Amino acid sequence: VQLQASGGGSVQAGGSLRLSCVASGRTLSRYGMGWFRRAPGKEREFVAAITWSGGNTYYADSVKGRFTISRDNAKNTVYLQMNSLNSEDTAVYYCAADPGAFNLRVVKTGRMDYWGKGTLVTVSS
């Protein structure tokens, strides 16, 4: 599975961005998906995850209520809608996929089988 994240850019605080992650090589319909980020000088952290059916979503406390993860299995794409952005959201965002049984604890550790190259989000105040 090859993953390609896009949609990053520069935005002012309070603004919105929508990230996309398109998969190729295999259908994502049976993969749990996650978004992670790495801010400058910090370790990678979990942002959001979604089960293969899209029926369950999970968020880091820092983004809950502002970010929304969704997926369109027909388009082999996962999205991250980011609203009310602030400077602490500045980071490189990565999407990841895992074909195994969804385990949130495992997902949060970043133990995902497939990773895309990141897309940079810069929020200016």
Side-chain angles (χ1 to χ4, degrees):
V1 175
Q2 290 80 45
L3 304 175
Q4 180 64 55
S6 63
S10 297
V11 64
Q12 290 194 328
S16 298
L17 283 174
R18 187 194 197 199
L19 305 184
S20 298
C21 175
V22 180
S24 60
R26 196 167 293 183
T27 179
L28 282 183
S29 61
R30 293 291 176 172
Y31 285 65
M33 300 293 298
W35 285 97
F36 299 77
R37 66 186 182 187
R38 187 191 300 273
K42 295 186 177 181
E43 293 187 353
R44 186 183 65 198
E45 65 174 353
F46 167 78
V47 175
I50 187 167
T51 53
W52 68 267
S53 67
N56 295 93
T57 57
Y58 307 90
Y59 300 92
D61 288 343
S62 59
V63 306
K64 202 172 293 183
R66 300 188 297 122
F67 290 12
T68 302
I69 187 172
S70 62
R71 67 190 298 161
D72 186 338
N73 287 338
K75 295 182 178 180
N76 243 19
T77 302
V78 176
Y79 305 97
L80 186 68
Q81 177 67 43
M82 305 186 297
N83 299 328
S84 302
L85 287 162
N86 59 60
S87 58
E88 293 185 351
D89 296 317
T90 294
V92 178
Y93 285 72
Y94 301 88
C95 61
D98 194 87
F102 189 89
N103 183 314
L104 181 60
R105 185 167 56 86
V106 173
V107 170
K108 284 186 172 181
T109 65
R111 280 181 282 173
M112 308 286 279
D113 278 2
Y114 303 100
W115 291 82
K117 293 183 179 179
T119 184
L120 177 62
V121 172
T122 303
V123 184
S124 57
S125 55

Coordinates of all heavy atoms in Angstrom, one line a residue, residues 12-54:
Q12 N -3.7 31.1 8.8 CA -3.7 31.9 10.0 C -4.5 31.2 11.1 O -5.4 30.3 10.8 CB -4.3 33.2 9.7 CG -3.4 34.1 8.8 CD -3.8 35.6 8.9 OE1 -5.0 35.8 9.0 NE2 -2.9 36.5 8.7
A13 N -4.1 31.5 12.3 CA -4.8 30.9 13.5 C -6.3 31.2 13.3 O -6.8 32.2 12.9 CB -4.3 31.5 14.8
G14 N -7.1 30.1 13.6 CA -8.5 30.2 13.5 C -9.0 29.6 12.2 O -10.2 29.4 12.0
G15 N -8.1 29.4 11.3 CA -8.5 28.9 9.9 C -8.7 27.4 9.9 O -8.6 26.7 10.9
S16 N -8.9 27.0 8.7 CA -9.2 25.5 8.5 C -8.4 25.0 7.3 O -8.0 25.7 6.4 CB -10.7 25.3 8.2 OG -11.5 25.7 9.2
L17 N -8.1 23.7 7.4 CA -7.5 23.0 6.3 C -8.1 21.6 6.2 O -8.5 21.1 7.3 CB -6.0 22.9 6.5 CG -5.1 24.1 6.1 CD1 -3.6 23.8 6.5 CD2 -5.2 24.4 4.7
R18 N -8.1 21.0 5.1 CA -8.5 19.6 4.9 C -7.4 18.8 4.3 O -7.0 19.1 3.2 CB -9.8 19.6 4.0 CG -10.4 18.2 4.0 CD -11.4 18.1 2.9 NE -12.3 17.0 3.0 CZ -13.0 16.5 2.0 NH1 -12.9 17.0 0.8 NH2 -13.8 15.5 2.2
L19 N -6.9 17.8 5.0 CA -5.9 16.9 4.5 C -6.6 15.7 3.9 O -7.6 15.2 4.3 CB -5.0 16.5 5.7 CG -4.3 17.6 6.5 CD1 -3.4 16.9 7.5 CD2 -3.6 18.6 5.6
S20 N -5.9 15.2 2.9 CA -6.4 14.0 2.2 C -5.2 13.0 2.2 O -4.1 13.3 2.1 CB -6.8 14.3 0.8 OG -7.9 15.2 0.7
C21 N -5.6 11.7 2.2 CA -4.6 10.6 2.1 C -5.2 9.6 1.2 O -6.2 9.0 1.5 CB -4.4 10.0 3.5 SG -3.3 8.6 3.5
V22 N -4.5 9.5 0.0 CA -5.0 8.6 -1.0 C -4.1 7.4 -1.0 O -2.9 7.5 -1.0 CB -5.0 9.3 -2.4 CG1 -5.5 8.3 -3.5 CG2 -5.8 10.6 -2.4
A23 N -4.7 6.2 -1.1 CA -4.0 5.0 -1.2 C -4.0 4.4 -2.5 O -4.9 4.5 -3.3 CB -4.6 4.0 -0.2
S24 N -2.9 3.8 -2.9 CA -2.8 3.0 -4.1 C -2.1 1.7 -3.9 O -1.5 1.5 -2.8 CB -2.0 3.8 -5.1 OG -0.7 4.1 -4.7
G25 N -2.4 0.8 -4.8 CA -1.8 -0.5 -4.6 C -2.7 -1.5 -4.0 O -2.5 -2.7 -4.2
R26 N -3.6 -1.1 -3.1 CA -4.5 -2.0 -2.5 C -5.7 -1.2 -1.9 O -5.5 0.0 -1.6 CB -3.8 -2.7 -1.3 CG -4.5 -3.9 -0.8 CD -3.6 -4.8 0.1 NE -2.5 -5.4 -0.7 CZ -1.6 -6.2 -0.2 NH1 -1.7 -6.5 1.1 NH2 -0.6 -6.7 -0.9
T27 N -6.8 -1.8 -1.9 CA -8.0 -1.1 -1.4 C -7.8 -0.9 0.2 O -7.3 -1.8 0.9 CB -9.3 -1.8 -1.7 OG1 -10.4 -1.1 -1.1 CG2 -9.2 -3.2 -1.1
L28 N -8.3 0.3 0.6 CA -8.2 0.6 2.0 C -9.4 0.1 2.8 O -9.5 0.3 4.0 CB -8.1 2.1 2.2 CG -6.7 2.7 2.0 CD1 -6.8 4.2 2.3 CD2 -5.6 2.1 2.8
S29 N -10.3 -0.5 2.1 CA -11.6 -0.8 2.8 C -11.5 -1.7 4.0 O -12.4 -1.7 4.9 CB -12.6 -1.4 1.8 OG -12.1 -2.7 1.3
R30 N -10.4 -2.4 4.2 CA -10.3 -3.3 5.4 C -9.2 -2.8 6.3 O -8.7 -3.6 7.1 CB -10.1 -4.7 4.9 CG -11.3 -5.3 4.2 CD -12.5 -5.5 5.2 NE -13.6 -6.0 4.5 CZ -14.8 -6.4 5.1 NH1 -14.8 -6.3 6.5 NH2 -15.8 -6.8 4.5
Y31 N -8.7 -1.6 6.1 CA -7.6 -1.1 6.9 C -8.1 0.0 7.9 O -8.9 0.9 7.5 CB -6.6 -0.4 6.0 CG -5.7 -1.3 5.2 CD1 -6.3 -2.1 4.2 CD2 -4.4 -1.4 5.4 CE1 -5.5 -3.0 3.4 CE2 -3.6 -2.2 4.6 CZ -4.1 -3.0 3.7 OH -3.4 -3.9 2.9
G32 N -7.6 -0.1 9.1 CA -7.8 1.0 10.0 C -6.8 2.1 9.6 O -5.7 1.8 9.1
M33 N -7.2 3.3 9.8 CA -6.4 4.4 9.3 C -6.2 5.4 10.5 O -7.0 5.6 11.3 CB -7.1 5.2 8.2 CG -7.4 4.3 7.0 SD -5.9 3.8 6.1 CE -5.2 5.4 5.7
G34 N -5.0 6.1 10.4 CA -4.7 7.1 11.4 C -4.0 8.3 10.8 O -3.4 8.2 9.8
W35 N -4.1 9.4 11.5 CA -3.3 10.6 11.2 C -2.4 10.8 12.5 O -2.9 10.7 13.6 CB -4.2 11.8 11.0 CG -4.9 11.8 9.7 CD1 -6.2 11.4 9.4 CD2 -4.4 12.3 8.4 NE1 -6.4 11.6 8.0 CE2 -5.3 12.1 7.4 CE3 -3.1 12.8 8.1 CZ2 -5.1 12.5 6.1 CZ3 -2.9 13.2 6.7 CH2 -3.9 13.0 5.8
F36 N -1.2 11.2 12.2 CA -0.2 11.5 13.2 C 0.4 12.8 12.8 O 0.3 13.2 11.7 CB 0.8 10.4 13.3 CG 0.2 9.0 13.7 CD1 -0.5 8.2 12.8 CD2 0.3 8.6 15.0 CE1 -1.0 7.0 13.1 CE2 -0.2 7.4 15.4 CZ -0.9 6.6 14.4
R37 N 1.1 13.4 13.7 CA 1.9 14.6 13.4 C 3.2 14.7 14.2 O 3.3 14.1 15.3 CB 1.0 15.8 13.6 CG 0.7 16.1 15.1 CD -0.3 17.3 15.2 NE -0.6 17.6 16.6 CZ -1.5 18.5 17.0 NH1 -2.2 19.1 16.0 NH2 -1.7 18.7 18.2
R38 N 4.1 15.4 13.6 CA 5.4 15.7 14.3 C 5.6 17.2 14.2 O 5.9 17.7 13.1 CB 6.5 14.9 13.7 CG 7.8 15.0 14.5 CD 9.0 14.4 13.7 NE 8.8 13.0 13.4 CZ 9.2 12.1 14.2 NH1 9.7 12.3 15.3 NH2 9.0 10.8 13.8
A39 N 5.6 17.8 15.4 CA 5.9 19.2 15.4 C 7.4 19.4 15.6 O 8.1 18.5 16.0 CB 5.1 19.8 16.7
P40 N 7.8 20.6 15.2 CA 9.3 20.9 15.3 C 9.8 20.6 16.7 O 9.3 21.1 17.6 CB 9.4 22.4 14.9 CG 8.2 22.6 14.1 CD 7.1 21.7 14.6
G41 N 10.9 19.8 16.7 CA 11.5 19.5 18.0 C 10.7 18.6 18.9 O 11.1 18.4 20.1
K42 N 9.7 18.0 18.4 CA 8.9 17.1 19.3 C 8.8 15.7 18.6 O 9.0 15.5 17.4 CB 7.5 17.7 19.5 CG 7.4 19.0 20.3 CD 6.0 19.4 20.6 CE 6.0 20.7 21.4 NZ 4.6 21.1 21.7
E43 N 8.3 14.8 19.4 CA 8.1 13.4 18.9 C 6.8 13.3 18.1 O 5.9 14.1 18.4 CB 8.2 12.4 20.0 CG 9.5 12.3 20.7 CD 9.5 11.2 21.8 OE1 8.5 10.6 22.0 OE2 10.6 10.9 22.3
R44 N 6.7 12.4 17.3 CA 5.5 12.1 16.6 C 4.4 11.8 17.6 O 4.6 11.1 18.6 CB 5.7 10.9 15.6 CG 4.5 10.7 14.7 CD 4.7 9.5 13.9 NE 4.8 8.3 14.7 CZ 5.4 7.1 14.3 NH1 5.9 7.1 13.0 NH2 5.4 6.1 15.0
E45 N 3.2 12.3 17.3 CA 2.0 12.0 18.2 C 0.8 11.6 17.4 O 0.6 12.0 16.3 CB 1.7 13.2 19.1 CG 1.3 14.5 18.3 CD 0.8 15.6 19.2 OE1 0.8 15.4 20.5 OE2 0.5 16.7 18.7
F46 N 0.0 10.9 18.1 CA -1.3 10.5 17.5 C -2.2 11.7 17.4 O -2.3 12.5 18.3 CB -1.9 9.4 18.4 CG -3.3 9.1 18.1 CD1 -3.7 8.3 17.0 CD2 -4.3 9.6 19.0 CE1 -5.0 8.0 16.8 CE2 -5.7 9.3 18.7 CZ -6.0 8.5 17.7
V47 N -3.0 11.7 16.3 CA -4.0 12.8 16.1 C -5.4 12.2 16.1 O -6.3 12.7 16.8 CB -3.7 13.6 14.8 CG1 -4.8 14.6 14.6 CG2 -2.3 14.3 14.9
A48 N -5.6 11.3 15.2 CA -6.9 10.7 15.0 C -6.9 9.4 14.3 O -5.9 9.1 13.6 CB -7.8 11.7 14.2
A49 N -7.9 8.6 14.5 CA -8.0 7.3 13.9 C -9.4 6.9 13.5 O -10.4 7.5 14.1 CB -7.4 6.2 14.8
I50 N -9.6 6.1 12.6 CA -10.9 5.6 12.1 C -10.8 4.2 11.8 O -9.9 3.7 11.2 CB -11.3 6.5 10.9 CG1 -12.8 6.2 10.5 CG2 -10.4 6.3 9.7 CD1 -13.4 7.2 9.6
T51 N -11.9 3.4 12.1 CA -11.9 2.0 11.8 C -12.2 1.8 10.3 O -12.6 2.8 9.6 CB -13.0 1.3 12.7 OG1 -14.2 2.0 12.5 CG2 -12.6 1.3 14.1
W52 N -12.1 0.6 9.9 CA -12.2 0.4 8.4 C -13.6 0.7 7.9 O -13.7 1.1 6.8 CB -11.8 -1.1 8.1 CG -12.8 -2.1 8.6 CD1 -12.8 -2.8 9.8 CD2 -14.0 -2.6 7.9 NE1 -13.9 -3.6 9.9 CE2 -14.6 -3.5 8.8 CE3 -14.6 -2.3 6.7 CZ2 -15.8 -4.2 8.4 CZ3 -15.8 -2.9 6.4 CH2 -16.4 -3.8 7.2
S53 N -14.6 0.5 8.7 CA -15.9 0.8 8.2 C -16.3 2.3 8.4 O -17.3 2.8 7.8 CB -17.0 0.0 9.1 OG -17.0 0.5 10.4
G54 N -15.4 3.0 9.1 CA -15.8 4.4 9.4 C -16.7 4.6 10.5 O -17.1 5.7 10.9

